[in-house]
């Protein structure tokens, strides 16, 4: 059991602002109960011992999953970018298939490789750029940057200036998220 599950369990014992009473029956033959009661520290209840044991086991499992968690977080961000364009019908069949392949195989790649596949095969940078809101409207534009005013909120967004002859990308507003 986790602490969260235990709190949920206790919360189910009282309703409509009335304190509940509860009794916990533990199966002495249950694996978690046996391990928990063997580890019991002075002044610790059986329930607290079992919860502590569960937290320790979960911690051990999660220690080796840091890489997968980082990849999952990155894929979450990339999913938002992909689906924004997909729903606007700005992705091709090839891009859709590249996205599906990346989703299927992302655990085999490093986070850098995932980013590279996304930027080179799924949504090349010319397709979508995240703008950064210009804080001082009177400041000159830095070299290598272009600006675009959001049609929805009026924020001036800075983004990498396209090379000569390259199309201006779709820019997502850094303030409201609108696409221009």
């Amino acid at each position: 059991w986790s602490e969260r599950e235990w709190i949920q369990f206790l919360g189910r014992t009282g309703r409509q602002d009335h304190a509940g009473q509860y009794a916990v029956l533990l199966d002495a033959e249950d694996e978690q109960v046996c391990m928990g009661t063997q580890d019991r520290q002075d002044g610790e209840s059986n329930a607290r011992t079992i919860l502590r044991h569960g937290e320790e086991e979960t911690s051990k499992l999660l220690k080796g999953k840091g890489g997968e968690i980082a990849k999952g977080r990155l894929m979450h961000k990339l999913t938002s970018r992909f689906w924004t364009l997909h729903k606007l019908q700005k992705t091709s069949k090839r891009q859709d298939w590249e996205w599906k392949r990346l989703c299927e195989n992302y655990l085999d790649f490093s986070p850098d490789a995932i980013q590279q596949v996304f930027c080179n095969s799924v949504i090349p940078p010319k397709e979508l750029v995240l703008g950064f809101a210009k804080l001082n409207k009177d400041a000159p534009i830095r070299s290598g940057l272009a600006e675009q005013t959001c049609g929805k909120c009026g924020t001036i967004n800075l983004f990498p200036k396209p090379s000569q002859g390259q199309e201006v990308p779709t820019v997502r507003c850094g303030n409201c998220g609108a696409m221009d």
Side-chain angles (χ1 to χ4, degrees):
W1 284 40
S2 70
E3 182 80 20
R4 186 183 140 288
E5 291 169 320
W6 181 249
I7 291 169
Q8 179 87 16
F9 174 72
L10 294 179
R12 300 276 182 215
T13 63
R15 287 284 180 253
Q16 299 175 355
D17 297 328
H18 297 290
Q21 294 180 343
Y22 64 92
V24 178
L25 303 176
L26 301 174
D27 179 358
E29 295 176 10
D30 182 81
E31 182 182 337
Q32 287 183 333
V33 173
C34 290
M35 284 190 289
T37 53
Q38 290 171 0
D39 273 355
R40 202 160 126 195
Q41 298 170 354
D42 289 337
E44 191 174 48
S45 69
N46 283 338
R48 173 59 38 208
T49 303
I50 293 167
L51 290 174
R52 181 178 47 79
H53 188 266
E55 289 168 4
E56 289 167 358
E57 290 299 311
T58 301
S59 179
K60 286 178 193 173
L61 287 173
L62 290 177
K63 277 187 181 175
K65 301 295 181 185
E68 287 183 29
I69 292 170
K71 292 174 186 180
R73 285 181 176 157
L74 175 58
M75 287 299 290
H76 179 73
K77 290 177 185 175
L78 298 178
T79 298
S80 175
R81 292 183 193 168
F82 176 80
W83 280 105
T84 297
L85 285 176
H86 184 74
K87 288 297 182 185
L88 293 170
Q89 297 179 345
K90 292 194 176 226
T91 59
S92 66
K93 291 277 186 200
R94 182 196 59 76
Q95 288 171 306
D96 294 347
W97 278 110
E98 291 296 333
W99 174 247
K100 289 175 185 177
R101 277 191 210 97
L102 180 59
C103 288
E104 183 178 13
N105 299 310
Y106 78 95
L107 287 173
D108 298 334
F109 299 125
S110 70
D112 286 342
I114 292 169
Q115 187 74 47
Q116 288 297 318
V117 169
F118 186 82
C119 289
N120 294 329
S121 301
V122 180
I123 307 293
K126 67 180 178 118
E127 307 275 346
L128 173 66
V129 173
L130 176 60
F132 296 92
K134 187 176 181 182
L135 300 177
N136 181 353
K137 293 180 182 185
D138 298 325
I141 302 173
R142 293 193 335 219
S143 66
L145 294 178
E147 63 179 39
Q148 186 177 64
T149 303
C150 176
K152 183 176 179 184
C153 72
T155 298
I156 298 173
N157 288 284
L158 300 173
F159 63 96
K161 188 175 189 174
S163 303
Q164 192 166 354
Q166 190 179 14
E167 290 184 37
V168 174
T170 301
V171 178
R172 175 183 273 179
C173 179
N175 183 42
C176 72
M179 307 276 280
D180 279 332

